[in-house]
Amino acid sequence: LLTSPFLHAALVMALVCALWPPSTSWAERTIAVIPSLLGLTLAGYAILLAIGSEKFLKRLARPGNAKKSVLENLSTSFLHFVLVQAAALMLALIAESLAIPVRALLTEYASEALAATVRFACRWLGWTAMFYSITCSLAATFRLFRMVGWFVRDISGSSQQ
């Protein structure tokens, strides 16, 4: 995870949004964006499983060199993607419900510097979760695209026989 270019991109984009916050909060934006992305993810996975012939899916299900099949690796990617999206959405919903009480506590009991630091850290964490969800969608899309290429080669190879 720490070597993931998708996480690195998410951290940089989140830093920009945390330093120069847009007009809507990260929680509002996450709640608006992630459910649609989550639906698209699940639909894409369903299409993936429906697109191939039984012969093609059996070939993908064979264990490879890493003791896991291509289908298992692809399913793991989609599971990771769905978990990241669900975590980002849950984080945003919790943040929305706690925004007013936490703001009141910070105003009442924390110094202005500490309150500003906590607000910045929360913004950065929230934007990171949302952007990581989006960049994970790119990773899953690249894997799907690669698999479609295998499917096309499989179809053209079997049509020549």
Side-chain angles (χ1 to χ4, degrees):
L1 187 66
L2 295 177
T3 60
S4 167
F6 299 104
L7 179 61
H8 298 160
L11 288 168
V12 170
M13 289 183 283
L15 185 59
V16 170
C17 287
L19 290 171
W20 297 281
S23 59
T24 58
S25 75
W26 66 269
E28 289 176 89
R29 194 67 55 98
T30 299
I31 292 168
V33 170
I34 296 301
S36 298
L37 198 56
L38 189 55
L40 185 65
T41 302
L42 295 174
Y45 187 63
I47 290 169
L48 160 77
L49 293 177
I51 195 172
S53 66
E54 187 177 330
K55 180 181 167 186
F56 180 67
L57 288 175
K58 280 183 180 178
R59 200 172 301 146
L60 289 180
R62 283 189 214 132
N65 296 340
K67 296 183 183 177
K68 275 187 147 183
S69 70
V70 171
L71 192 56
E72 285 175 310
N73 284 331
L74 191 59
S75 294
T76 301
S77 291
F78 269 91
L79 175 64
H80 173 76
F81 184 30
V82 168
L83 290 176
V84 167
Q85 289 173 338
L89 186 56
M90 287 186 278
L91 184 64
L93 291 169
I94 290 168
E96 279 280 301
S97 69
L98 293 177
I100 293 172
V102 169
R103 195 174 298 129
L105 283 172
L106 285 174
T107 304
E108 183 74 27
Y109 297 108
S111 68
E112 186 55 40
L114 178 61
T117 303
V118 168
R119 282 192 301 271
F120 172 80
C122 289
R123 273 196 318 268
W124 192 30
L125 175 67
W127 283 114
T128 299
M130 189 186 95
F131 283 125
Y132 187 54
S133 295
I134 294 169
T135 58
C136 279
S137 72
L138 292 173
T141 302
F142 291 143
R143 283 194 170 217
L144 266 178
F145 185 71
R146 185 172 45 206
M147 202 205 75
V148 167
W150 296 335
F151 183 65
V152 168
R153 283 191 294 280
D154 185 65
I155 289 174
S156 23
S158 61
S159 66
Q160 292 174 355
Q161 294 174 353

